[in-house]
Amino acid sequence: MMREYITFFLILFCLISVSRSVMARLQFDMQDLSVNLAVIERTSDVNELKTALENMRSAALTARRIRPLSLYGKSVKKSDIEDYRHGYDVLISQIENMMLLANEGRITEAKAAAKQLKETRNIWHMKYWR
C-alpha cells in the first residue's frame, strides 16, 4: 500500500514538473516573439531584420507544438487545438512573407507587414491567453 502511494506521488511530481517546463518554454517563445518584433520595428539593417525574422519563425514553430493553459483542464475539442495551431500557421506565413521581402532588400515593406503581424499576434493572444 505504501509503495502505491509513493509511486503515485512520484508520477504526480513528474507530471507537474514536465507541465511547468512546457509552460515555461511556451512563455519563453512568446517573449522571444515580442523581443524580435521590437527589433523589426526599430531596425533599418537588413541582416538584423533577417535574424529577427528567423528567430521569430523558430519561436512560432516551437510554440505551435505546445498547448496553452487555456486548452487544459476542460473538455477540449480537437477543433479547438486545430484552431490554436491555425493561428500559428497564419503567424508563420506572415513571418515567411516578411522574410521574402527582407531577402529582396525591401525593408520598408517588411516593416510595414510587421503591423499586420502584430495585429495577428494580438488577436490570437487574446483568444488563447486569457
Side-chain angles (χ1 to χ4, degrees), residues 1 6 14 17 26 47 53 61 77-78 81 92 96 100 107 111:
M1 182 80 160
I6 292 172
C14 289
S17 297
L26 186 56
N47 291 324
L53 288 167
L61 286 170
K77 299 176 200 159
K78 186 177 179 182
I81 294 171
I92 291 165
E96 289 172 348
L100 290 173
I107 296 173
K111 289 175 74 162

Side-chain angles (χ1 to χ4, degrees), residues 14-103:
C14 289
L15 288 173
I16 291 170
S17 297
V18 168
S19 67
R20 291 183 113 208
S21 67
V22 168
M23 289 304 117
R25 176 65 205 189
L26 186 56
Q27 186 175 10
F28 175 78
D29 289 332
M30 295 297 104
Q31 289 172 340
D32 203 20
L33 286 167
S34 291
V35 166
N36 284 290
L37 185 57
V39 169
I40 290 167
E41 291 175 332
R42 72 169 164 72
T43 191
S44 58
D45 179 49
V46 72
N47 291 324
E48 190 175 26
L49 178 65
K50 289 179 185 180
T51 301
L53 288 167
E54 289 169 6
N55 292 341
M56 285 183 75
R57 185 176 183 278
S58 176
L61 286 170
T62 302
R64 184 185 184 279
R65 295 189 306 256
I66 303 170
R67 214 176 351 168
L69 286 176
S70 64
L71 293 179
Y72 280 101
K74 63 178 184 176
S75 59
V76 177
K77 299 176 200 159
K78 186 177 179 182
S79 61
D80 290 336
I81 294 171
E82 289 172 354
D83 186 52
Y84 170 75
R85 290 183 179 145
H86 172 71
Y88 275 105
D89 292 339
V90 170
L91 193 70
I92 291 165
S93 173
Q94 290 175 335
I95 292 168
E96 289 172 348
N97 287 337
M98 291 172 63
M99 289 173 94
L100 290 173
L101 293 170
N103 287 333

Side-chain angles (χ1 to χ4, degrees), residues 97-122:
N97 287 337
M98 291 172 63
M99 289 173 94
L100 290 173
L101 293 170
N103 287 333
E104 294 172 1
R106 297 161 54 187
I107 296 173
T108 307
E109 292 174 42
K111 289 175 74 162
K115 291 177 185 168
Q116 179 63 38
L117 186 135
K118 196 173 193 175
E119 286 179 30
T120 301
R121 180 204 60 184
N122 292 342

